[in-house]
Amino acid sequence: MDAFIKGGGDLMHAGLGIPTSLSATILATMAVLFAATTMDSGVRLQRLVVSEIAELMGVKLSGVVATVIAVGCALGLTFSTGVDGSGGMLIWPLFGTTNQLMAGLTLSILVIMLTQLRRPTWPVLIPLVFVTVMSLWAAVLQLRTLWSAQNWLLLVIDVVIIGCAIWVIVEAITAISKARREPAVVWRDDETMPGELADARAR
């Protein structure tokens, strides 16, 4: 973080003539806002995940309870190594793998949508296969490293990530095959969702 703020401040000072102290303040504010926005999005997504897991188990959770569980898990991980809040760094070695697998999940959704619309899928399918295969390979290679280091926590998490990745791959292939068999979806340029105007006229 210090390198980002200092380096960005020096660039703004050299390029725009802004004083170094003010440039550093601007960069620090941007970093804090980015971190806050990221945490907000993460908590919201985690709340939805908790709610869906509970629903699959036949339990109805309110938004408040799901949020408390999501925030509680994050706080537990953050302070698991002490009050300095560095517990989150425990799972940092797996961040790159999970991040790229999320990119693969996003690309697979785009491939399904393009298949439903009968649009060319190869511009998205090629990076999807590359990102997914390389990320899954990296996760498998990390197993040996974590085993050698006897880092059992990350080893278990890595195994779970690999299992979830394989699950997502199977589900994506199934969904794409299903989209190929079904009739094409018509999505007009003035619609935000397929069939939106037709549904409105029917009502």
Side-chain angles (χ1 to χ4, degrees):
M1 182 63 71
D2 291 339
F4 170 75
I5 295 175
K6 186 177 185 306
D10 291 341
L11 287 175
M12 293 179 66
H13 174 68
L16 301 176
I18 301 176
T20 304
S21 58
L22 178 58
S23 301
T25 302
I26 294 174
L27 267 296
T29 303
M30 291 174 57
V32 170
L33 291 176
F34 176 76
T37 304
T38 303
M39 287 190 293
D40 175 70
S41 301
V43 170
R44 290 176 184 271
L45 291 174
Q46 186 68 14
R47 181 188 66 182
L48 293 176
V49 170
V50 171
S51 298
E52 290 183 0
I53 292 175
E55 187 175 347
L56 291 174
M57 298 175 61
V59 179
K60 181 67 174 179
L61 292 181
S62 65
V64 175
V65 174
T67 302
V68 170
I69 294 175
V71 175
C73 291
L75 289 175
L77 177 62
T78 301
F79 297 104
S80 60
T81 59
V83 295
D84 60 346
S86 62
M89 298 303 294
L90 288 173
I91 60 173
W92 180 255
L94 298 177
F95 173 77
T97 302
T98 55
N99 189 43
Q100 296 307 308
L101 286 175
M102 287 297 295
L105 175 61
T106 303
L107 291 173
S108 65
I109 295 174
L110 293 177
V111 170
I112 294 170
M113 294 177 62
L114 292 174
T115 303
Q116 291 176 331
L117 297 171
R118 298 299 186 267
R119 304 282 179 84
T121 58
W122 63 266
V124 182
L125 190 59
I126 293 176
L128 165 61
V129 172
F130 178 79
V131 168
T132 304
V133 170
M134 297 304 292
S135 301
L136 191 57
W137 186 17
V140 172
L141 291 178
Q142 277 185 314
L143 288 176
R144 180 185 301 177
T145 303
L146 297 174
W147 179 273
S148 300
Q150 296 185 351
N151 193 335
W152 309 124
L153 173 63
L154 291 189
L155 182 66
V156 172
I157 296 176
D158 198 17
V159 171
V160 173
I161 290 173
I162 293 173
C164 292
I166 295 174
W167 183 16
V168 168
I169 291 172
V170 173
E171 289 290 336
I173 294 175
T174 303
I176 293 172
S177 300
K178 181 180 178 181
R180 290 181 181 276
R181 294 192 302 268
E182 293 179 345
V185 174
V186 179
W187 193 345
R188 293 175 43 175
D189 292 338
D190 53 351
E191 293 178 329
T192 55
M193 291 293 291
E196 178 185 30
L197 296 181
D199 294 339
R201 286 194 292 268
R203 289 195 297 268

